[in-house]
Each structure stands twice: as C-alpha cells, then as structure tokens.
Amino acid sequence: MKSNYLQTPIDYLKGVGPNRANLLRKELGIHTYQDLINLFPNRYIDRTQYYKIKGLQPNTAEIQVIGKITKFTEVAQKRGKRLVATFVDDTGAMELVWFRGQKWIRENLKLNTKYVAFGKTNAFGGKYSMPHPDLEPLEEHEKNMRSAMQPVYPSTEKLSNKGVSNRMISKIMQQIFIDTNGRFVETLSQNILSELKLISKSEALFNIHFPKSQELLSKAQFRLKFEELFYIQLQLIIKNLIHKSKIKGFPFDKVGTYFNTFFKDHLPFDLTGAQKRVLKEIRADLGSNAQMNRLLQGDVGSGKTIVAFMSTLMALDNGFQACLMAPTEILSVQHYNGLLELSKDLNISIEILTGSTKTSKRKIIHEKLESGELQLLIGTHALLEDKVKFKNLGLAIIDEQHRFGVAQRSKLWHKNTSPPHVLVMTATPIPRTLAMSVYGDLDISIIDELPPGRKSIKTVHRYDKNRLNVFRFIRDEIKLGRQVYVVYPLIKENEKMDYKDLMDGHESLSRDFPMPEYQISIVHGKMKPADKEYEMQRFIKGETQIMVATTVIEVGVNVPNASVMIIESAERFGLSQLHQLRGRVGRGAEQSYCILMTGYKLSQDSKKRLETMVKTNDGFEIAEVDLRLRGPGDIMGTQQSGVLNLKIADIIKDNDILQHARYHAKNILNKDKSLSTPENLPILNTYKSLSKYKNIWNYIS
Ligand code: ADP
Ligand code: MG
C-alpha cells in the first residue's frame, strides 16, 4: 500500500465512476478514501432477529417478520388507491402496504409462500402495518449471511436514486479495509489511550464499520467520539492561548476615580454576587497584559448593563475610550439614555451614533472621537463604518452578541492599532455544552443570579377563543397602573400577511381599548426610526398603556412598569425567542404575566415549546429543550462555528465525553504547550492536519 493511499480521490474506486463521485462529493462531502473511512454509520440494524406479529410494539425501528401473504386488497383513498396485503404468522396478522408500484407487487409476490418482511411498522387502532417493506423469500434469505449489526450509512435521496446504496458503500468500505490491511495511523497518544482505556485507531475504525460484537462497537464509538471532541477542544484552546500570548492587550493598570466614585456614591442598587464575581473576572483580564476576549452570558434581566458600564469606567480611568454596540436602534437609544442617567454625576462625555444620526451631528462625533474628547460611544452597526475612528479605543462591548456575525466582531478589533479588549454579552442562553464548543476560544463569564425581589413571571397558554377573558385581564392590570405588550410574529416569507395581522390586531385592540381612556403605541420595522423612537418613548414615559409590536422589541428593551406580555400566534415563535420576549416583563417589583395565544391546531413541537414556557423561567433549561427540538445547527450564532458538523459525537448526549475531552486537551497543553514531546507526536500531527493555524505553536512555545 502506498503511503498516500488514503488521499486517493474516490473517482478511482471500483464501481464509483465520475457521476457518483460527484454526488458523493456534493451530498456527503466525501473526496478521498480517507473521507470515506470517516463516514460513520448512523445506526446498525439487526438482521439476525425476527419478530412475531403478536409481540410488535408501536414505533419500533426497522424489524423483520417471517410470514405469508394470505390475500391482497385494494383500498380506495383520496388520491388513487393503496394495495394492502394481509401478512400472517403463527401468532397473528398484520398488513403490508404499498402506495406505488402495485402492479409489479401483485405480479411478483406469491400467496401462501414464506417471506421475510423487513421495514418500519406503524400502529393504528391496535393493528400493525408496514409500508413498502423489503420482501425476500425465506429460502433465499437463509442463503445469505446476516449480521446482527449491519451498518446503515448516512445517505440522501439523490444518492439512493442514483444507486449509491447502503450495500454499495459497505462494499467499497470492505475494499478499502482489504487494501490497507485494516491498519491506520494512530491519532492519539499512548498516554491518553491507556489512561482512558481506549482501543486503537485501527480497531476502532474496523469495529465502527464491521462490528464484531456490541461491546467492541461501543468501545469503537466511545473512542471515535472522544477523538472528535478532543480535537475540537484542542483547537479552540490553542486558539485562545495564541490570542493571549501573541496579542498584547492594553494593561489597565489602575482602578481610578470614575470607577471608585461610581462604586461608592452612585451605584443605584447593591450588585448581586454574580455581578461582583463577573466584574472581578473582567478586572483581572483588563489588568493583565493579555487582550481580553470574554463572553458574558446572563439570562434576560440578570443585569448585564451595569457590568458593561462599570467595565467602561475601568477603560476611562486608564485614559482609554470605550464603545458599546447594540443590534437595534431602539436598544442603542435605551442604552444611551440609561448610561447617561448612571453617569450623570461623573462628568463623562457620551454620544450615540446610529443609522439615523444626522450628517452634521456625525461630523462632530467623528471629530470628537479622533481628538479623544469623546469618551464613550454607543450605537448600532454604524460604529463599524470606516469613518468612525477612535483616538484610543481600549474596550469594545457588544450587546446581544448573537445578532452580530463573527466578521463584525473582528471589525471592532481593528479600531485601534492594537486590538481593544472585547466583551460580548448575550442573553440568548446557549446551553453550557454548546457554549463550550462554539465559544471555546473565548473566556466565559456567567451571571447566574437575578437581582433580588424579582417575582418569577407567571406564564399561561390561552386559545384565541379565550380572548375576551384575556382582554378583561389586561383591563384589570391597566387599572392597577401597569402596561402591556402585545407582540405579533413577523416572518420574512410571510411578511405581508404578518403585517396585516399586526394591523388587524391593532385595530381590534383600539376598538376594545378606546381613546381617550386608553392609549396604544405601535412599533414595527417599516416605521421610520424617529417614529419608532417617538412611540417607544411614549410607552416608556407611561403615556400609552399598550404597546403593539413585532419582535423589534425582542432584545433588551427595558420598561419596568410593563407587567403583561401577550404573544400572538405564539406557536410560530422559537423557544429562545419566546423566552426573550417574556424577558421584557418581570423587570420591576410587580408580579408579571406572559400569555401565549394560539389557535387549536398545534404541532407536537409547538406543544412542547408552549409547555416548556409555562413550566419554567430558567433560560438554560429552555435552551436545552430548544437544542433538543431543533438540533444545534439552528441555534443562533452556531452556524458559523463549524464544530457542529460532528461526524459521530452528539453534543447533547455526549456531554460527559465532551467534558473529558476538554479536560484532557487542557491537561496536555498545560504540560506540553507546543506538543513537542515524542509522546505527543501523534497529537501534533493530527492537529496539524486539522488546523489552519499550522505554525501556531511557534507563538505559544
Ligand atoms: P440584561 O441582563 O437583560 O441586559 P439589564 O442590565 O437591562 O438586564 O437589567 C435589568 C433590570 O435590572 C434593570 O432595570 C436594572 O437596573 C436592574 N438591575 C440590574 N442589576 C440589579 C441589581 N443588582 N439589583 C437590582 N436591580 C438590578
Ligand atoms: Mg441587556
């Protein structure tokens, strides 16, 4: 075998040919023999086990049953007809069903002959059926070898249509194992192998494709999952180490007058323990020589803003400028007003810059920024424009990080000759496991405590039919002096209909809550920023009691007197979005409520989402359910990370392995930063083949 055998393009495989090779590349990202070896089965099916009809269970995976067809029946249905065969064994009867290819079936299948039917079963009204089964005469079936663990490889419809079947992939796989003698280069160190009692790479690969026993299959899976997660963690940790050593940060040597004065005389409340802890973590970063790259996670309402503000004071105390970027105009304005209030006795110069800032005003801001007179700039993406130049930016804070891309984060890096310290904040609770993999290159701080006195929000689910009761409830709350949000979905593909719903809803509310007794604000994306701001301000000042809006108010908006959040068509929102929206209430001392409105028709997933919202207020718990329902690929901010194209590990189920992997990756780097000992050579080589930072260990050694 040639040493580069595994790098051979798949076109050279027998039976593949250019068309199928192209498909394999496109559909599964398989380019070389090596890639093929790393195509791991999704699951294994047992073709040595036979089920009796009497013992069938609903929703079983694919199973096989031995029996005879006693008769065929044609059943008319909405479109066309289906063919039903009665299939019996000595314990009972079930149905085999075909919606297509019926002629062929009738002509080729014999009555009262023994067949093995293989497929998935459905249960309906106590009866079992198997749609489009694989049928093989028992006689033939017995001639073939059957494995208890026959691998099923990932596939796509296009692949199976073009004849790239599971059987074919298995065959190719066999060929590769024959050509290589089943020997593959070891990718982990001997130390790890023995410490974790892992089987060798060759043994693992063999048993993942051709399991000799359940036990060896489990060992193979464990070893390969560990390896996969280990290298992800290793890369993330190295990236982080490189940042720290290569990129010098501005050391903020002192805690000065701004910070101390504010802390002593102007802090509007006692900080929570979590806020204090996080501030200490940030302080430690800023005081060191390294550049800070920190993610601050905290559920909605946990008080991230004050932490951000006090961090900017550390920058200002050391003669640096700071900026705070938020994803929407509304949120920027709110931060601006909030920080003006917090800093009113400190004599700090603060400005706001957004898409709607007038040119004349912009000019002044640009000048003051470059002269250094302006200390703190707040705003939207407008901050990223090239014209925005700081004299000496020391700290950049990004609020609601999930709304920004990685590219935007890195743009802030270049706003000074050396990169400023960066603090990104997010309330979208990312499950801890996921955060560890996706943001493993950032340091993470978590505020896991809400300010005291918060009452947890009462959440209920109501059907549209109960609207009158809901309106009555709103009236009572308004009588008590509270304010109410009514939020409508706005989904791009459905935009027109959604705006109509919003307007209709607004109109019907205006009828039930007439002026002058009631005042209603409306805010949506099609309004001019100034109009939005005007409406928002009316609500903030308490001039209007009801705010009708789309999800523009989803992030960050803070009106403590609002105590009711009504979410219309709640089934159309994702879980984390519902949680974000709910977070707009429960910000004051009053008992707050969230009412989820839906019609009767709900999918299983929608039901689960609504139930979860009713059951818990804990953002992390919600995030875990969300992750389960949607899979990690959809969770905000994770798309770009690439770590989710996992081949074998499952980020939720394999959390324990992930922890081990991270621990060992850290441990190895602690002892051998540059992976230069002979012991770690397999790791170094594998790392090199995976990482784009090939020369990186120069920096960290
Ligand atoms: P988020 O983490 O969602 O950005 P905010 O920073 O907007 O939360 O804070 C939510 C509300 O809680 C604000 O009204 C803020 O003034 C208040 N708050 C923050 N920290 C405390 C605290 N330690 N004690 C009391 N209230 C607090
Ligand atoms: Mg916030």
Side-chain angles (χ1 to χ4, degrees):
M1 186 187 75
K2 286 202 225 93
S3 64
N4 56 358
Y5 170 83
L6 287 176
Q7 298 315 320
T8 319
I10 45 168
D11 310 58
Y12 291 89
L13 278 167
K14 230 195 261 158
V16 171
N19 285 341
R20 286 174 176 176
N22 267 339
L23 263 182
L24 281 167
R25 275 188 283 267
K26 256 201 224 125
E27 298 284 301
L28 297 176
I30 294 178
H31 298 258
T32 61
Y33 292 7
Q34 170 99 50
D35 295 336
L36 208 69
I37 291 279
N38 288 328
L39 177 73
F40 300 133
N42 278 336
R43 59 204 163 86
Y44 300 82
I45 48 183
D46 185 349
R47 305 244 18 202
T48 62
Q49 279 266 353
Y50 301 92
Y51 281 72
K52 291 287 183 192
I53 292 176
K54 205 176 158 198
L56 292 180
Q57 303 280 333
N59 292 327
T60 44
E62 283 125 321
I63 54 157
Q64 46 193 3
V65 181
I66 302 174
K68 292 176 185 171
I69 298 172
T70 54
K71 69 169 184 210
F72 283 107
T73 328
E74 278 180 359
V75 183
Q77 49 183 40
K78 248 192 213 156
R79 255 190 266 146
K81 54 185 191 232
R82 63 176 187 272
L83 179 65
V84 177
T86 307
F87 193 65
V88 302
D89 67 3
D90 51 1
T91 68
M94 67 182 290
E95 293 182 339
L96 309 177
V97 184
W98 292 268
F99 302 94
R100 299 178 300 274
Q102 302 169 350
K103 187 161 170 265
W104 188 91
I105 297 288
R106 291 206 75 154
E107 283 167 7
N108 286 278
L109 294 185
K110 297 191 193 92
L111 292 179
N112 300 313
T113 307
K114 278 201 175 168
Y115 282 99
V116 179
F118 175 75
K120 277 192 178 152
T121 53
N122 297 325
F124 192 76
K127 262 194 171 167
Y128 286 90
S129 67
M130 190 183 280
H132 288 260
D134 251 7
L135 283 168
E136 200 175 12
L138 182 62
E139 223 173 279
E140 236 169 82
H141 180 83
E142 279 171 342
K143 282 186 207 146
N144 298 325
M145 275 264 286
R146 295 289 152 186
S147 159
M149 283 163 286
Q150 195 157 307
V152 179
Y153 289 98
S155 185
T156 65
E157 217 177 301
K158 273 194 187 151
L159 281 171
S160 36
N161 286 344
K162 294 276 181 240
V164 184
S165 64
N166 203 50
R167 208 178 312 140
M168 174 183 167
I169 293 193
S170 287
K171 258 196 188 155
I172 304 175
M173 209 65 89
Q174 279 175 23
Q175 192 55 52
I176 296 178
F177 273 80
I178 292 170
D179 290 351
T180 54
N181 264 329
R183 276 202 215 117
F184 301 96
V185 176
E186 181 52 59
T187 42
L188 289 173
S189 68
Q190 209 48 54
N191 272 351
I192 291 191
L193 291 178
S194 43
E195 200 174 327
L196 286 159
K197 301 203 176 60
L198 302 177
I199 59 176
S200 72
K201 179 84 175 203
S202 300
E203 227 183 330
L205 284 176
F206 185 86
N207 280 287
I208 206 78
H209 293 295
F210 314 102
K212 283 190 209 154
S213 68
Q214 182 58 52
E215 199 198 340
L216 277 169
L217 173 60
S218 301
K219 282 191 174 163
Q221 285 169 327
F222 185 84
R223 138 103 216 199
L224 294 170
K225 284 175 179 183
F226 176 86
E227 177 177 345
E228 181 168 44
L229 295 169
F230 173 82
Y231 280 105
I232 289 170
Q233 290 304 320
L234 192 77
Q235 290 182 70
L236 287 167
I237 296 166
I238 290 181
K239 205 165 145 199
N240 181 305
L241 286 176
I242 292 160
H243 271 160
K244 287 207 172 119
S245 66
K246 189 177 106 181
I247 300 159
K248 291 274 166 279
F250 305 115
F252 293 180
D253 295 327
K254 58 174 189 233
V255 174
T257 321
Y258 285 130
F259 189 95
N260 286 328
T261 312
F262 180 77
F263 190 74
K264 273 211 315 276
D265 304 331
H266 305 299
L267 204 56
F269 35 66
D270 291 334
L271 295 175
T272 63
Q275 284 170 324
K276 283 186 203 159
R277 189 189 65 234
V278 168
L279 270 168
K280 268 194 201 135
E281 288 165 358
I282 293 172
R283 171 66 207 135
D285 280 4
L286 298 179
S288 77
N289 279 317
Q291 182 242 7
M292 176 173 77
N293 242 319
R294 189 168 278 279
L295 173 71
L296 172 54
Q297 268 204 78
D299 210 342
V300 277
S302 61
K304 295 183 290 295
T305 315
I306 191 94
V307 171
F309 176 66
M310 291 174 78
S311 306
T312 62
L313 294 183
M314 296 180 201
L316 270 46
D317 271 333
N318 287 276
F320 288 90
Q321 293 166 299
C323 70
L324 170 58
M325 183 166 81
T328 63
E329 173 119 16
I330 290 181
L331 191 51
S332 303
V333 171
Q334 185 182 292
H335 275 319
Y336 176 65
N337 292 332
L339 298 199
L340 268 187
E341 174 66 26
L342 284 174
S343 65
K344 64 178 189 285
D345 299 313
L346 295 179
N347 197 17
I348 294 174
S349 114
I350 308 184
E351 273 301 348
I352 178 166
L353 180 70
T354 69
S356 58
T357 306
K358 297 240 166 56
T359 317
S360 51
K361 177 83 195 200
R362 263 170 207 258
K363 254 193 163 160
I364 301 173
I365 291 178
H366 290 162
E367 280 167 23
K368 281 190 180 170
L369 262 190
E370 284 191 61
S371 72
E373 188 186 329
L374 184 55
Q375 292 167 290
L376 174 55
L377 181 62
I378 296 167
T380 56
H381 306 81
L383 300 194
L384 297 174
E385 284 167 21
D386 291 338
K387 275 190 219 135
V388 179
K389 292 194 192 92
F390 293 82
K391 177 167 186 231
N392 198 8
L393 180 66
L395 172 66
I397 302 178
I398 306 177
D399 196 14
E400 304 300 348
Q401 129 87 7
H402 64 279
R403 291 293 185 102
F404 294 100
V406 170
Q408 288 166 319
R409 177 153 51 112
S410 82
K411 240 186 162 178
L412 275 178
W413 272 55
H414 299 105
K415 290 283 175 188
N416 202 343
T417 43
S418 289
H421 297 290
V422 176
L423 178 67
V424 297
M425 310 199 290
T426 183
T428 302
I430 302 160
R432 288 171 180 84
T433 44
L434 198 54
M436 202 185 274
S437 342
V438 179
Y439 296 113
D441 61 325
L442 303 181
D443 294 307
I444 300 182
S445 291
I446 298 180
I447 304 188
D448 50 6
E449 181 185 356
L450 292 179
R454 291 276 171 80
K455 293 201 179 75
S456 80
I457 302 161
K458 287 198 178 129
T459 304
V460 294
H461 172 203
R462 292 283 178 265
Y463 295 103
D464 293 334
K465 194 188 86 174
N466 306 118
R467 193 167 294 278
L468 282 182
N469 284 335
V470 173
F471 278 7
R472 197 170 316 132
F473 179 72
I474 298 181
R475 219 164 273 133
D476 291 346
E477 282 291 300
I478 292 177
K479 227 175 257 158
L480 292 170
R482 318 269 191 271
Q483 289 164 286
V484 178
Y485 291 104
V486 184
V487 176
Y488 285 82
L490 181 59
I491 319 282
K492 274 247 164 60
E493 298 82 64
N494 251 329
E495 205 170 300
K496 251 199 187 144
M497 284 300 290
D498 286 347
Y499 271 115
K500 186 170 174 305
D501 288 350
L502 174 79
M503 292 310 169
D504 289 353
H506 179 237
E507 207 184 290
S508 110
L509 274 166
S510 312
R511 254 181 277 125
D512 278 273
F513 297 88
M515 296 210 281
E517 192 182 353
Y518 299 98
Q519 301 285 336
I520 304 182
S521 287
I522 181 164
V523 171
H524 59 76
K526 282 197 176 163
M527 292 163 64
K528 291 206 191 88
D531 296 343
K532 263 194 256 182
E533 182 48 28
Y534 173 77
E535 288 288 317
M536 203 62 221
Q537 283 305 328
R538 290 211 307 150
F539 190 67
I540 292 171
K541 287 185 201 136
E543 292 167 15
T544 61
Q545 297 92 9
I546 301 177
M547 159 70 78
V548 177
T550 57
T551 44
V552 286
I553 61 149
E554 176 189 337
V555 284
V557 171
N558 188 24
V559 181
N561 190 48
S563 68
V564 183
M565 165 63 64
I566 303 202
I567 305 178
E568 296 285 349
S569 303
E571 75 278 9
R572 294 180 56 199
F573 291 91
L575 248 185
S576 66
Q577 222 180 355
L578 288 173
H579 181 64
Q580 281 279 332
L581 283 168
R582 174 168 63 182
R584 299 308 109 217
V585 297
R587 310 197 133 230
E590 306 307 331
Q591 176 62 53
S592 291
Y593 305 88
C594 174
I595 304 178
L596 306 168
M597 303 293 299
T598 73
Y600 279 116
K601 259 200 180 164
L602 293 172
S603 70
Q604 280 306 320
D605 277 10
S606 307
K607 273 187 202 148
K608 181 80 189 163
R609 289 199 293 269
L610 298 168
E611 270 164 28
T612 307
M613 285 293 292
V614 170
K615 198 180 92 199
T616 181
N617 269 296
D618 179 342
F620 281 107
E621 200 179 326
I622 286 174
E624 300 283 352
V625 177
D626 200 26
L627 186 61
R628 255 172 219 150
L629 286 178
R630 291 195 297 156
D634 273 349
I635 306 266
M636 295 272 206
T638 59
Q639 290 92 335
Q640 327 117 325
S641 71
V643 305
L644 295 156
N645 302 324
L646 294 177
K647 288 196 171 67
I648 185 163
D650 178 315
I651 213 138
I652 304 167
K653 294 192 198 123
D654 298 323
N655 183 28
D656 284 354
I657 307 181
L658 173 63
Q659 310 276 356
H660 276 297
R662 186 167 175 85
Y663 169 81
H664 283 280
K666 263 194 175 159
N667 203 18
I668 286 174
L669 289 169
N670 271 344
K671 290 188 194 140
D672 180 12
K673 244 196 223 168
S674 51
L675 300 173
S676 54
T677 59
E679 156 69 22
N680 287 331
L681 189 62
I683 298 180
L684 180 61
N685 285 337
T686 311
Y687 171 80
K688 277 199 215 170
S689 74
L690 292 171
S691 175
K692 32 181 207 245
Y693 300 95
K694 299 215 190 298
N695 295 316
I696 252 22
W697 49 92
N698 295 341
Y699 294 112
I700 54 180
S701 45

